[in-house]
Amino acid sequence: MATCEENEALSSVLNQVPPLLTDLYQFTMAYAYWRAGRHNEPAVFELFFRDNPFGGGFSLFAGLSDCLLFLQNFTFSDDDVEYLRSVLPAGTDDAFFSYLRELDCSSVSVSAVPEGSVVFARVPLLEVSGPLAVVQLLETSLLCLVNYASLVCSNAARFRLAAGPTRRLMEMGLRRAQGPNGGLTASRYTYIGGFDLTSNALAGRLFGIPVAGTMAHSYVTSFSSLEEVWPQTLAPCGGGGDPIDFICLVKGWLGRVCQLLGSKTNLVREGELAAFLSYAIAYPQNFLPVIDSYSVSCSGLPCFCAVALALCELQYRPLGVRLDSGDLCRQSLEVRRIFKECSKQFSVPQFESLIIVGTNSISEQSLAELNKKDNEIDVVGVGTHLVTCTRQPSLGCVYKLIEVRGRPRMKISEDPEKSTLPGRKSVYRLLDTDGHPQMDLICLSEEPAPKAGVPLNYFPLGLNKAVQTVTPVQVTSLRLDVFTCGQITFPLNSASESRERAQISLQTLHPHHKRLQEPHDYTVALSERLHTLVSDITKGNSKGSNFLLSN
Amino acid sequence: MATCEENEALSSVLNQVPPLLTDLYQFTMAYAYWRAGRHNEPAVFELFFRDNPFGGGFSLFAGLSDCLLFLQNFTFSDDDVEYLRSVLPAGTDDAFFSYLRELDCSSVSVSAVPEGSVVFARVPLLEVSGPLAVVQLLETSLLCLVNYASLVCSNAARFRLAAGPTRRLMEMGLRRAQGPNGGLTASRYTYIGGFDLTSNALAGRLFGIPVAGTMAHSYVTSFSSLEEVWPQTLAPCGGGGDPIDFICLVKGWLGRVCQLLGSKTNLVREGELAAFLSYAIAYPQNFLPVIDSYSVSCSGLPCFCAVALALCELQYRPLGVRLDSGDLCRQSLEVRRIFKECSKQFSVPQFESLIIVGTNSISEQSLAELNKKDNEIDVVGVGTHLVTCTRQPSLGCVYKLIEVRGRPRMKISEDPEKSTLPGRKSVYRLLDTDGHPQMDLICLSEEPAPKAGVPLNYFPLGLNKAVQTVTPVQVTSLRLDVFTCGQITFPLNSASESRERAQISLQTLHPHHKRLQEPHDYTVALSERLHTLVSDITKGNSKGSNFLLSN
């Protein structure tokens, strides 16, 4: 469970989600309900998305904690109400604004899939019930909080799958996100989706995500001469010895390294050497420079080896290098080869465990290719393609009315994909004999739960699919009550708790559903009773959407 | 200029950009500078992007006000510093944290292109000068504030060009943006880029953007029967007459409308009619329903016409309809035809000026196609493709060191596109005889400004382009001093002021640079002296990046 401090921090950041951050039409609709005396009618909405993102077979659900904190704090200030008074049409009854001023979510309840769960298209992830006008007003903000969180979390999970299980992944997309909050959201939810580290310091502070980073090219290019290195000495690790002239020590190593590599010391950039020296003197136990500011082979790599060998001589452990341009695989192989040669030639076993970080416009595809090709990259940093979700920058979640005053509601579109599923529902996940999820079954909430070992009929979602039968081996209920009459009733998960759930949830998923390309379709199905209700309403046989019989 | 209130509101929203929202490596670098006693060396960075977005010929610059407010408020809290102490490597000198605690931007100055200006790739948009460690720390936040703002603003300008000058454009992307702040940023900067309206109520309040919106499908589907309509009466406009039984009046009109259209009243959805009735009674002067919840031709359109005719009979002015699915062009033509028939048949001239709003996953391309095809859509609402910038979700701005202690700095990459331009610069825009911008010329700041009527040599940016000569007709300086020693020295523009600048700036741009497809390349060029400096540093002939001559 999240710590108190974390919740407070989270909550203070999320106080940035004022209830006015919504579409104006929520207020015009709320007024029309209020004017008709319908605002307190019990109503139910559900939130879902229509297609799994990125051409994949699954998604991860995220954003729930943000939603719950938003609901808990949902009230309009006097200023909000005055603004609304100024933009709603003239003639809006004054009493409506008093009503808005008093509103909160104390009559709202929510059931939801836990954050970090593997989910599928068309399955209702969030069911929001309460007074019609209030649950309508919540629409845009809830969509905004779930949409991007789930999308970027799912994107991160795909990068994780593409990278293989052992390579470490670092998120570094803050500068390319949709503004400050976009960047913070990205750091949180890519961590939940399976990343290991972030460059974002505030995300580290707020969410407890491990942070990392050492230097940019600007640090390297800010140096031009060895005269800028200060102090010029470094004491051996442990503090037991006198400070050594570190520049002199490194120069000695540089000669030997260049000899070993067959490279020329006069192609080494003095500024790059100065930058590495200076950084190593400041952080002798955290030496991981970016080595491509000029030329990796002529300058960056010889400079790194010289400084790192000098550090080793003083009993420090250099960490490794970062490559940020060019062919990362080829370069990493070359860099590793040199590390091994140094290790052998100079008897420095520390050089066997140096890490190589690669960061150059990594996409899911380039990561998957990198994973297939020979390379020596231990840590991959990903920015733009991860946080902007280049391949599909929106999940397209929707929030649809499914019941009013106990009567199922349905939107019947001329575009069948845009039709909705009426009525309150329960969602069950059926597992196969190996414990893999095999189907999500959507039932009406008044139906009894499916039982393990008992055959049941179902209608797979999709165009005109016929009835089929399955005997589930194990049945779990997908959603939990998380918010009841204004109170959060489910522990707010910390980022690392949700991350753990995501890992477990992904592990149980069958590999053919996890494939990044052409995954098997996962079955999402309706119970017979729900299927019948849909048919009845579509044909106009139900109270759901009467035709006008007489006028 | 922005009002005080607006600035305060803006500022309070932007207090959400704490200086800790940056990459960790900014702090490790700052420490290394500090440790070497270099933190106060005067340094200069510049911010630019490498390619015009969306395959276009230009971009709009935006995000400047946010940057200035961020700089003005830049200080670390005790909590920030304690967090940094916990994550920076052990051995970081305590005095560094005291230094951080005292930091602010009182020694920082910025010159920048005014917000809303047309700009081009490779031109330095922002020049930030100040103490090395401080200006380094600002990198990520400034990039984060400019990147998305400029991208989405440029995207909006392209939608505006695609839509033609008269069609009204409404932004409605909040639910698909990268979280709450992403949505707010999108609303502000799409307005600056040329949109007319937003659905985002908070953006309306904070930035004075006109807001719009009436109803969603859920409103329509929440009704099932005419019994839910209450009150059932409506007084004629002006309040001079007795309330009329509005349901009865509308039913009468529905019969006549169905007769005119040759449609059947028993295909009309009672719930849809009830929803329209109820909304019209609540907002008789603002009746603009969404008419595709069931079937436009069988139910939505006849219901609209009946209610709108009844409103006209009571001297109200209905506004129009919204279409949200299917072939918008075809449907709008049909809807307009029916409006005209009603106008003629029932002598209601108000039906001639009804508006048709179209909102169905509009992209730049679909908008351009719509603009070519016959249609009757007056207002287009755009969400996902606008705010997520589907075609290119990142601008890729970078922030590069160009000078330290008065000496030019340059990154020389093996990838020439990643090399930077050294030294402090002035940027001039040369205009041709028609007043169109013909070239942006980047000079060293110590060079005299180009003069109208005096020929000058230049080197167009690009691979190995030879020297050329131009005689400018008019010369303007592109950047202004906007922040001097910690103070904002340029009026913070309101959204509508920046919007006006964008419109004027776009108007002066030659049409062949504005073309959405295959625009002419705009010339960005270096002065002879800057070109010489670049060559010298690249060859290692300058103090910029010495080779190591002796060791």
Side-chain angles (χ1 to χ4, degrees), chain A residues 16-18 20-25 28-29 31-33 35-36 38 45 79-80 83 87 89 92 136 139-140 143-145 147-148 174-182 184 199-202 204-205 211-219 221-224 228 230-231 251 254 265-270 273 278-279 282-283 286 293-296 322 324 360 384 387-388 390 393-394 396-397 401 405 407 409-412 414 418 543 545-548 551, chain B residues 16-18 20-25 28-29 31-33 35-36 38 45 79-80 83 87 89 92 136 139-140 143-144 147-148 174-182 184 199-202 204-205 211-219 221-224 228 230-231 251 254 265-270 273 278-279 282-283 286 293-296 322 324 360 384 387-388 390 393-394 396-397 401 405 407 409-412 414 418 543 545-548 551:
Chain A
Q16 299 163 5
V17 189
L20 203 58
L21 189 68
T22 188
D23 294 310
L24 186 73
Y25 74 8
T28 52
M29 287 190 276
Y31 177 67
Y33 288 136
R35 183 80 169 86
R38 297 190 60 205
F45 280 80
D79 285 350
D80 291 340
Y83 172 72
V87 291
T92 306
Q136 177 70 66
E139 175 180 25
T140 312
L143 285 173
C144 185
L145 290 171
N147 237 325
Y148 177 63
L174 177 54
R175 62 189 66 190
R176 304 293 164 81
Q178 284 182 11
N181 244 7
L184 206 56
S199 69
N200 182 340
L202 188 61
R205 176 167 161 218
V211 287
T214 56
M215 73 172 71
H217 293 115
S218 56
Y219 179 81
T221 56
S222 82
F223 286 83
S224 52
E228 291 158 328
W230 191 89
K251 279 186 171 177
L254 185 63
T265 52
N266 65 358
L267 289 180
V268 166
R269 298 276 174 172
E270 183 175 344
L273 185 62
S278 200
Y279 197 91
Y283 282 138
N286 290 271
S293 297
Y294 301 101
S295 160
V296 172
R322 178 160 75 97
D324 186 44
N360 183 21
T384 311
V387 305
T388 65
T390 327
S394 166
C397 280
L401 180 70
R405 276 192 297 158
R407 291 164 67 177
R409 312 307 310 159
M410 178 175 179
K411 174 175 177 287
I412 303 166
E414 292 179 356
K418 284 200 163 182
K543 284 308 261 175
S545 64
N546 268 351
F547 289 107
L548 193 63
N551 65 86
Chain B
Q16 299 162 4
V17 190
L20 203 57
L21 189 67
T22 187
D23 294 310
L24 186 74
Y25 74 8
T28 53
M29 287 190 275
Y31 177 67
Y33 288 135
R35 183 82 170 83
R38 298 191 59 205
F45 279 80
D79 285 350
D80 291 339
Y83 171 72
V87 290
T92 306
Q136 177 69 67
E139 175 180 26
T140 312
L143 285 172
C144 185
N147 237 327
Y148 177 64
L174 177 55
R175 61 189 66 190
R176 304 292 163 80
Q178 285 184 11
N181 244 6
L184 205 55
S199 69
N200 182 338
L202 188 61
R205 177 168 158 216
V211 287
T214 54
M215 73 171 70
H217 294 115
S218 56
Y219 179 80
T221 56
S222 82
F223 286 83
S224 53
E228 290 157 328
W230 193 90
K251 279 187 173 178
L254 185 63
T265 52
N266 66 358
L267 290 179
V268 166
R269 298 278 175 171
E270 183 174 344
L273 185 62
S278 201
Y279 197 91
Y283 281 138
N286 290 272
S293 298
Y294 302 100
S295 160
V296 172
R322 178 160 75 98
D324 186 45
N360 183 20
T384 311
V387 305
T388 65
T390 327
S394 169
C397 281
L401 181 69
R405 277 193 296 160
R407 291 164 66 177
R409 312 306 311 158
M410 178 175 178
K411 175 175 178 285
I412 303 165
E414 292 178 356
K418 284 198 164 185
K543 286 307 264 178
S545 64
N546 269 352
F547 289 108
L548 193 63
N551 64 89

Side-chain angles (χ1 to χ4, degrees), chain A residues 103-387:
Chain A
L103 266 194
D104 61 27
C105 282
S106 57
S107 304
V108 172
S109 295
V110 177
S111 80
V113 175
E115 184 163 274
S117 305
V118 166
V119 293
F120 303 95
R122 302 295 302 271
V123 173
L125 307 173
L126 217 65
E127 185 193 84
V128 183
S129 58
L132 178 56
V134 181
V135 289
Q136 177 70 66
L137 282 170
L138 303 174
E139 175 180 25
T140 312
S141 314
L142 292 178
L143 285 173
C144 185
L145 290 171
V146 170
N147 237 325
Y148 177 63
S150 296
L151 181 73
V152 80
C153 189
S154 306
N155 201 26
R158 292 177 63 90
F159 275 79
R160 176 82 273 166
L161 289 169
T166 56
R167 212 183 302 272
R168 303 195 81 201
L169 291 175
M170 170 161 164
E171 176 271 321
M172 36 182 265
L174 177 54
R175 62 189 66 190
R176 304 293 164 81
Q178 284 182 11
N181 244 7
L184 206 56
T185 311
S187 300
R188 178 177 169 90
Y189 293 104
T190 53
Y191 180 65
I192 293 176
F195 271 56
D196 304 289
L197 299 159
T198 181
S199 69
N200 182 340
L202 188 61
R205 176 167 161 218
L206 291 179
F207 310 129
I209 305 172
V211 287
T214 56
M215 73 172 71
H217 293 115
S218 56
Y219 179 81
V220 178
T221 56
S222 82
F223 286 83
S224 52
S225 131
L226 291 176
E227 289 162 24
E228 291 158 328
V229 179
W230 191 89
Q232 305 188 334
T233 58
L234 183 63
C237 186
D242 288 334
I244 309 283
D245 181 335
F246 195 59
I247 298 185
C248 189
L249 187 67
V250 166
K251 279 186 171 177
W253 277 112
L254 185 63
R256 276 166 273 168
V257 166
C258 285
Q259 203 170 19
L260 177 72
L261 307 188
S263 65
K264 295 179 181 153
T265 52
N266 65 358
L267 289 180
V268 166
R269 298 276 174 172
E270 183 175 344
E272 191 164 34
L273 185 62
F276 290 8
L277 271 162
S278 200
Y279 197 91
I281 291 168
Y283 282 138
Q285 293 286 36
N286 290 271
F287 184 56
L288 192 156
V290 59
I291 60 170
D292 64 342
S293 297
Y294 301 101
S295 160
V296 172
S297 55
C298 297
S299 181
L301 187 55
C303 286
F304 169 79
C305 290
V307 174
L309 285 161
L311 286 172
C312 289
E313 188 178 329
L314 300 181
Q315 311 302 320
Y316 293 102
R317 286 192 76 92
L319 293 182
V321 297
R322 178 160 75 97
L323 295 165
D324 186 44
S325 56
D327 179 341
L328 298 180
C329 289
R330 185 188 55 71
Q331 290 182 93
S332 72
L333 290 169
E334 176 65 7
V335 168
R336 183 70 72 203
R337 189 181 64 76
I338 305 277
F339 286 172
K340 293 200 164 149
E341 271 191 49
C342 286
S343 166
K344 198 171 143 198
Q345 184 71 24
F346 305 120
S347 303
V348 279
Q350 298 95 313
F351 263 57
E352 297 283 343
S353 51
L354 289 171
I355 63 168
I356 300 174
V357 181
T359 57
N360 183 21
S361 297
I362 303 282
S363 63
E364 179 194 308
Q365 202 187 345
S366 66
L367 192 57
E369 278 164 19
L370 184 145
N371 204 29
K372 280 180 210 146
K373 277 205 282 190
D374 249 15
N375 72 80
E376 288 285 345
I377 300 168
D378 304 292
V379 180
V380 178
V382 194
T384 311
H385 293 295
L386 178 66
V387 305

Side-chain angles (χ1 to χ4, degrees), chain B residues 359-379:
Chain B
T359 57
N360 183 20
S361 297
I362 303 283
S363 63
E364 178 193 308
Q365 201 188 348
S366 66
L367 191 57
E369 279 165 18
L370 182 144
N371 204 28
K372 281 180 211 145
K373 276 205 282 190
D374 249 15
N375 72 80
E376 290 284 345
I377 300 168
D378 304 292
V379 180

